[in-house]
Amino acid sequence: MLLALLAATLLQAHPLPHRVLIRDITIVSPERPSPVEHGYVVLENDRITAVGQGSPPAGLWDSVVVGRGRVLIPGLIDGHTHLASPAGMPLPVPLDLRPLADAYAEQLPRSYLFSGFTTVVDLIVFERGFLDRFKAAPLHPDTYDCGPALALANGYPMAMDPKEVHWDFFPNFLWDPRQKGSIPARFRPEDHTPKTTVARVAADGGICVKTFEERGYGPVRNLPTPTLEMIRDVVRESHARGLPVLIHANSLSAWRFAVQSGVDVIAHGMWNWDEFERSNTLPAPIRALLDTVVARRIGFEPTLRVIEGLGAMYDPAFLDDPRLARVLPRSVIAWYRTPAGQAFANQLRQNFGGASDARIREIFQRVAEHGAMATRYLVSHGGRLVFGTDTPSGPTYGNPPGLNGLLELERLAAAGVPLRRLLEGATINAARAFRLDSLYGTVERGKVANLLLLRANPLETAEAYDSIDLVVVRGKVIDRSTLAARR
Ligand SMILES: [Zn+2]
């Protein structure tokens, strides 16, 4: 009796790990020069504990997955999301849209998993409670964030939001002595220095720091931007705490600023070429700057879907794409078709002075092509592609959650990014950029068991990313079809 009790206590103290064997698989992982045929992996609880080839070890398994030659890759990482912003809806979400936004939020964690993204990073936290609820969902990707972003007072993106929520959405703004008169008196400069703002990100649990170099667009232009000295201080304070710095920059001048400031990752492609806007090839000064980006090992997120996601609103077929129904509740897609759902598309139309929808799409395609050209150059010269989608980039429904990542992967492949570079970008490079590479990015012993079982090899075709059969998150094996939005 005593012995039995003792054994029971011991068992309780050291419960047996949940053990899963995945065998007869082809392992494709970015650190391996070639795939491992007839491979296996052993998972214990949420970790990978063995990776090998041939006969798997004998053992007692809680479950066995027979791969029949299918391809196992590391789970994908989206290094640029805005989870609390429902795609296609205005922020803050108006009362009458709350039920729709709730339905969207309920499906959201499954939509990322459905699309293969087992780790996501939110770059601007303006509603911590939303992220807490996202992470409390029964199934959700591993979720990290950059805490409250360092926007310049009255600058981007603060100035794009309705005035009444400016300071609430960006409480961790950077003080600007040049505009003392236009910062409410309740804020004290010493609470908004590079040092205090970075400290606040760290205290909030952020693993990265996000800041901005953007003068605005559309009707909101000529915004104040930070000085080089400010951002250099932000970089110094962040690095002292082991935090990488990401900067929003999408123009030639903003990329120049980014390079001079010493940030780690540029969070957008360079699609605005400023004085070279009319050029159809990469001008020498841009090439020289891109060479510096490569030489300094600065990461970059091309985010081509930012522009294409705007163009999607003028594509009459976009809302009929059956892939949308896998990641969005039907009620949300139906709302996109209503006049209220089309309000942002109509508002943006006004910036194009009566141009036809086909013409608007052409213009966006041309802008995206500039971003693609810069990306192609960077990648072919050894640049460090970091995968991130910026989902959603604004109130457009053209960036559907999860699916936007698959579309970005497709678009990058079409832009000429070699498939191996693409896989690296969405796995190990993204993990390294956020200093998470001891946990994610490869199929290796000791890493978190976040994996995808695919019917095709992503080193042979980018379509492989949408051929997922099983999603493994923290050792839990999930049939992809169960993650789709309910119809
Ligand atoms: Zn963003």
Side-chain angles (χ1 to χ4, degrees):
M1 174 67 185
L2 189 69
L3 260 179
L5 210 70
L6 198 69
T9 322
L10 275 173
L11 271 178
Q12 254 171 14
H14 300 282
L16 288 174
H18 186 84
R19 301 182 81 225
V20 175
L21 172 68
I22 308 180
R23 51 174 284 247
D24 195 11
I25 45 174
T26 302
I27 301 170
V28 171
S29 187
E31 84 288 8
R32 293 181 183 270
S34 54
V36 178
E37 310 280 351
H38 309 291
Y40 66 83
V41 297
V42 174
L43 316 181
E44 291 188 9
N45 296 334
D46 66 350
R47 297 289 165 145
I48 301 170
T49 55
V51 179
Q53 191 171 27
S55 312
L60 284 172
W61 310 105
D62 293 284
S63 66
V64 176
V65 175
V66 182
R68 293 190 188 88
R70 282 175 296 176
V71 178
L72 191 82
I73 68 166
L76 306 178
I77 300 170
D78 189 337
H80 192 155
T81 66
H82 301 291
L83 298 170
S85 305
M89 295 183 208
L91 272 183
V93 175
L95 265 181
D96 61 315
L97 293 183
R98 295 277 167 83
L100 276 183
D102 288 347
Y104 176 101
E106 210 255 323
Q107 170 59 32
L108 187 64
R110 291 198 303 276
S111 295
Y112 277 99
L113 293 177
F114 180 91
S115 310
F117 295 93
T118 53
T119 302
V120 296
V121 188
D122 190 317
L123 300 193
I124 306 177
V125 177
F126 56 89
E127 198 190 333
R128 177 60 65 188
F130 186 97
L131 283 193
D132 292 341
R133 290 193 294 280
F134 183 90
K135 290 191 240 185
L139 296 173
H140 59 88
D142 288 352
T143 308
Y144 297 89
D145 63 75
C146 297
L150 275 58
L152 184 74
N154 296 309
Y156 182 89
M158 210 180 202
M160 313 306 269
D161 291 318
K163 258 223 146 56
E164 60 278 14
V165 294
H166 271 188
W167 307 99
D168 296 337
F169 276 15
F170 294 91
N172 201 30
F173 67 87
L174 285 168
W175 187 267
D176 186 358
R178 297 165 298 178
Q179 33 165 342
K180 264 182 265 172
S182 39
I183 302 174
R186 65 179 188 276
F187 298 112
R188 301 182 309 169
E190 59 269 34
D191 294 334
H192 296 274
T193 63
K195 195 182 179 77
T196 51
T197 52
V198 170
R200 218 170 271 132
V201 169
D204 197 43
I207 63 157
C208 41
V209 170
K210 172 82 185 288
T211 191
F212 310 86
E213 162 62 39
E214 168 70 62
R215 284 166 212 180
Y217 41 79
V220 190
R221 290 159 187 268
N222 302 319
L223 295 172
T225 56
T227 64
L228 252 187
E229 195 193 353
M230 280 179 196
I231 301 305
R232 282 179 179 152
D233 287 348
V234 166
V235 169
R236 199 186 52 243
E237 296 295 337
S238 303
H239 288 178
R241 292 174 179 273
L243 304 173
V245 180
L246 289 90
I247 194 164
H248 163 109
N250 57 43
S251 65
L252 172 56
S253 63
W255 271 56
R256 268 195 193 117
F257 180 92
V259 169
Q260 289 168 3
S261 66
V263 299
D264 303 279
V265 178
I266 301 175
H268 290 293
M270 192 207 290
W271 54 68
N272 291 320
W273 288 5
D274 300 347
E275 63 269 33
F276 304 106
E277 211 55 74
R278 292 179 175 280
S279 180
N280 288 320
T281 54
L282 268 182
I286 295 188
R287 272 184 275 136
L289 180 65
L290 299 181
D291 288 338
T292 311
V293 170
V294 173
R296 298 205 186 153
R297 308 291 299 143
I298 301 169
F300 60 95
E301 299 184 332
T303 63
L304 299 179
R305 289 288 309 162
V306 169
I307 302 302
E308 300 207 324
L310 292 169
M313 296 189 296
Y314 308 96
D315 174 358
F318 183 76
L319 289 176
D320 297 328
D321 185 336
R323 292 179 294 180
L324 251 65
R326 308 184 310 185
V327 297
L328 290 166
R330 207 165 44 174
S331 56
V332 172
I333 302 173
W335 178 78
Y336 291 155
R337 299 180 191 276
T338 66
Q342 292 289 320
F344 180 62
N346 286 330
Q347 184 194 323
L348 210 60
R349 256 190 203 101
Q350 290 167 13
N351 299 348
F352 289 90
S356 70
D357 282 7
R359 177 72 192 125
I360 295 174
R361 282 178 64 204
E362 253 173 51
I363 293 167
F364 280 127
Q365 267 160 16
R366 188 184 152 78
V367 176
E369 187 44 38
H370 275 184
M373 257 188 262
T375 299
R376 198 155 47 229
Y377 184 90
L378 285 163
V379 172
S380 63
H381 288 77
R384 196 159 66 94
L385 172 76
V386 174
F387 189 83
T389 55
D390 194 12
T391 303
S393 64
T396 170
Y397 55 75
N399 295 156
L403 173 60
N404 201 40
L406 293 175
L407 297 175
E408 176 81 9
L409 288 162
E410 274 174 21
R411 181 64 180 89
L412 288 170
V417 173
L419 294 174
R420 179 166 279 278
R421 300 284 95 81
L422 197 54
L423 178 67
E424 288 167 358
T427 56
I428 190 63
N429 285 7
R432 280 198 192 116
F434 291 98
R435 305 189 183 180
L436 294 171
D437 46 311
S438 64
L439 299 175
Y440 308 106
T442 59
V443 183
E444 281 183 293
R445 187 193 149 114
K447 295 222 174 172
V448 173
N450 284 2
L451 303 160
L452 305 176
L453 192 63
L454 311 176
R455 292 190 301 278
N457 183 344
L459 296 181
E460 289 166 7
T461 168
E463 284 166 27
Y465 292 109
D466 202 10
S467 75
I468 304 167
D469 276 340
L470 298 176
V471 178
V472 182
V473 64
R474 294 258 160 194
K476 202 182 280 185
V477 180
I478 311 160
D479 189 325
R480 185 199 202 189
S481 61
T482 65
L483 296 162
R486 288 183 256 282
R487 324 202 111 232

